[in-house]
Amino acid sequence: MTPSANSRPVALITGASRGIGHAIALRLAPKHDLILVARDESLLMAVAAECEALGASVQCIAADVQNALVTAQRLTGLHVDVLVNNAGVAVMKPFLEMTAEEWHRQVDVNVNALYHVTRAVLPGMVARGHGHVCIIGSTAGRNTFVGGTCYTGTKHFVMGFAESLMLEVRDAGVGVSVITPGSVDTDLFPAGTNRTWMLEPQNVADAVGFAIEAPPHMLVHRLEVRPLSPKRPRAS
Ligand SMILES: NC(=O)c1ccc[n+]([C@@H]2O[C@H](COP(=O)([O-])OP(=O)(O)OC[C@H]3O[C@@H](n4cnc5c(N)ncnc54)[C@H](OP(=O)(O)O)[C@@H]3O)[C@@H](O)[C@H]2O)c1
């Protein structure tokens, strides 16, 4: 990654307040300055303090990425070298039990926010001739399951969006990667779910690191990571 005008590249991470986004922030903090986006400002501030202890300068932006106007106002024109589109929601329930609000929220956060956030940040990358857009997809982007009508639909969208965007901007020096994890131990799942067998958020963060740290001429476009049983303790 070519450095920004600052001494360190800048990474913008959506959904950085918890779960996988929090882990990505910690993973990138030693080598990047960070812009952290989510709705919960107090959680963002706590993540920022952890990242600053690892050497990053951090800007927190409390914003709902469903809101096109707010997202454009807050993000347009920011210098961003690495964009991690991570914010996402999941409501796993049979179609006939799903409310219109649950349907629209998943489409708004998992699909429409990709437009709002990427549209604000990508022009600067293209103008500078370098950058990386990394999107957290899911194995649900090529699988189906009962209760997944909307969630799997949104993640199938992510796969088409990511590959098409990659083809559009790679000749401008901008890489597009999609990381597709299997199940990850986060609060995306309802309380009471057995999560002991799942991937850890840090595993997904390491996959993001692998994608964005590839040599300049090599693009890791699609990277699938899955849990392997038995779950192994993480090396310190
Ligand atoms: N967990 C898994 O098994 C799994 C597997 C494959 C892929 N994924 C994907 O990984 C991504 C992260 O999921 P996670 O497991 O880390 O979930 P999580 O722990 O529930 O975290 C979701 C993050 O998204 C943010 N977010 C949600 N709605 C938002 C909105 N309207 N505006 C701004 N930020 C919003 C949340 O922040 P606030 O609430 O503070 O706004 C939070 O930081 C998602 O795209 C998910 O689909 C997860």
Side-chain angles (χ1 to χ4, degrees):
M1 176 63 57
T2 307
S4 66
N6 306 316
S7 54
R8 293 153 58 97
V10 177
L12 187 155
I13 304 163
T14 67
S17 59
R18 296 183 272 119
I20 292 169
H22 176 194
I24 295 168
L26 295 179
R27 172 65 174 75
L28 300 189
K31 292 185 180 172
H32 296 76
D33 290 333
L34 299 174
I35 302 170
L36 306 180
V37 180
R39 293 165 302 177
D40 189 322
E41 190 164 21
S42 60
L43 284 180
L44 275 185
M45 298 296 281
V47 175
E50 290 182 88
C51 293
E52 284 164 353
L54 293 169
S57 294
V58 184
Q59 177 182 358
C60 292
I61 298 180
D64 183 339
V65 294
Q66 294 178 98
N67 187 319
L69 188 62
V70 167
T71 304
Q73 285 174 341
R74 305 294 297 278
L75 303 189
T76 300
L78 292 176
H79 182 116
V80 175
D81 300 290
V82 177
L83 165 62
V84 185
N85 277 308
N86 164 75
V89 292
V91 181
M92 312 286 192
K93 56 164 62 170
F95 174 74
L96 289 177
E97 296 175 17
M98 191 173 301
T99 66
E101 187 280 328
E102 290 165 338
W103 178 278
H104 287 293
R105 179 156 42 93
Q106 291 178 89
V107 173
D108 281 345
V109 179
N110 300 357
V111 173
N112 293 331
L114 284 179
Y115 177 84
H116 307 323
V117 175
T118 309
R119 188 66 184 82
V121 166
L122 184 62
M125 294 182 178
V126 171
R128 290 187 295 275
H130 75 90
H132 206 125
V133 178
C134 191
I135 306 164
I136 308 303
S138 172
T139 52
R142 61 180 185 78
N143 296 339
T144 57
F145 50 84
V146 171
T149 51
C150 188
Y151 184 72
T152 65
T154 65
K155 291 301 183 180
H156 276 72
F157 176 97
V158 166
M159 302 309 285
F161 169 74
E163 189 162 351
S164 297
L165 187 67
M166 179 271 289
L167 295 172
E168 288 186 18
V169 297
R170 64 175 169 174
D171 291 337
V174 178
V176 178
S177 302
V178 58
I179 311 300
T180 63
S183 296
V184 186
D185 179 4
T186 74
D187 292 338
L188 192 79
F189 294 93
T193 304
N194 175 14
R195 308 193 321 213
T196 57
W197 57 275
M198 296 181 181
L199 283 166
E200 297 169 0
Q202 294 92 332
N203 303 139
V204 183
D206 284 340
V208 171
F210 180 79
I212 68 172
E213 290 162 5
H217 65 284
M218 171 186 151
L219 175 61
V220 178
H221 171 62
R222 191 179 293 186
L223 185 53
E224 183 166 308
V225 288
R226 288 178 175 262
L228 179 67
S229 187
K231 188 171 181 177
R232 294 178 173 83
R234 183 177 171 79
S236 57

